Amino acid sequence: EAGVAQSPRYKIIEKRQSVAFWCNPISGHATLYWYQQILGQGPKLLIQFQNNGVVDDSQLPKDRFSAERLKGVDSTLKIQPAKLEDSAVYLCASSLDAGPYEQYFGPGTRLTVT
Amino acid sequence: QKEVEQDPGPLSVPEGAIVSLNCTYSNSAFQYFMWYRQYSRKGPELLMYTYSSGNKEDGRFTAQVDKSSKYISLFIRDSQPSDSATYLCAMKKGGTSYGKLTFGQGTILTVHP
């Protein structure tokens, strides 16, 4: 079974530029998550999708971050404009459904904002 | 105060040692408790997943949950150099639509030969 795919793996941008990350979840998984992991910290949930609807985006900085999940499969996370404090690893995870189901994580995209 | 507290270490042990990793939490709504292992430049992978208080064993790994004390532990027996990684505790509230994991800070473990 293929795992969660993410691209790019690494990205370096200057502050105030924009950037987009892509995630392809495990086939058949209804729930998709984006987490932000700052160096030395545990991941923090940014947004949770159930199929193509948003369930939880309470910790998403909506003035600069946006996310979508088209057709309930792939998802993109965008930052515009980026700030220095956005430097982090962005992890995508998916699960069969919400609730008690196990979440499978992708390898992450490491973003450096200079 | 953070909802989940985890000693970041770092922790360095010799091969074969027993390792104990711990987390405390403040939110009594947490019902599901997990331990993830994260190798450098990789995503977290699930090691242990428990629902209720008590012990769960899987090979060299044992997870303990004490809901009354709001305390969870992971024990690694006969530790190996390949166990060197960051260990993250994570917790989740109940509910069929709820999915958010709340993570601890992670403990960096090094097992040296």
Side-chain angles (χ1 to χ4, degrees), chain B:
Chain B
Q1 183 189 9
K2 293 182 181 179
E3 283 190 291
V4 180
E5 298 277 359
Q6 182 176 5
D7 185 344
L11 191 59
S12 181
V13 302
E15 184 175 355
I18 296 174
V19 175
S20 172
L21 305 169
N22 312 293
C23 286
T24 59
Y25 63 97
S26 58
N27 193 335
S28 57
F30 288 134
Q31 295 188 19
Y32 302 98
F33 304 90
M34 288 138 274
W35 286 95
Y36 281 84
R37 179 173 62 195
Q38 187 174 26
Y39 291 115
S40 180
R41 301 188 182 275
K42 301 285 187 182
E45 59 174 330
L46 185 66
L47 276 178
M48 301 289 281
Y49 189 160
T50 54
Y51 171 67
S52 58
S53 286
N55 293 357
K56 182 176 181 180
E57 190 173 319
D58 184 1
R60 298 184 294 111
F61 299 89
T62 300
Q64 286 186 351
V65 174
D66 182 348
K67 286 187 174 180
S68 62
S69 300
K70 295 189 178 66
Y71 186 87
I72 70 170
S73 301
L74 177 70
F75 297 95
I76 307 174
R77 292 183 299 280
D78 187 25
S79 57
Q80 302 295 309
S82 59
D83 295 329
S84 297
T86 297
Y87 289 80
L88 296 154
C89 64
M91 306 177 189
K92 183 161 55 174
K93 297 176 186 177
T96 56
S97 64
Y98 198 84
K100 173 186 172 183
L101 292 176
T102 301
F103 284 87
Q105 186 175 355
T107 300
I108 300 171
L109 172 67
T110 301
V111 181
H112 51 86

Side-chain angles (χ1 to χ4, degrees), chain A residues 36 44 46 57-66 86:
Chain A
Q36 179 193 56
K44 181 185 79 172
L46 292 176
D57 63 356
S58 58
Q59 297 187 95
L60 185 75
K62 298 179 187 65
D63 58 334
R64 299 183 300 106
F65 286 64
S66 64
D86 298 332

Side-chain angles (χ1 to χ4, degrees), chain A residues 31-70:
Chain A
T31 314
L32 185 147
Y33 311 83
W34 284 101
Y35 289 86
Q36 179 193 56
Q37 186 175 23
I38 293 172
L39 185 65
Q41 298 182 21
K44 181 185 79 172
L45 180 72
L46 292 176
I47 190 167
Q48 174 188 341
F49 290 96
Q50 184 69 17
N51 296 306
N52 58 353
V54 175
V55 174
D56 183 356
D57 63 356
S58 58
Q59 297 187 95
L60 185 75
K62 298 179 187 65
D63 58 334
R64 299 183 300 106
F65 286 64
S66 64
E68 60 181 5
R69 188 180 185 196
L70 298 176

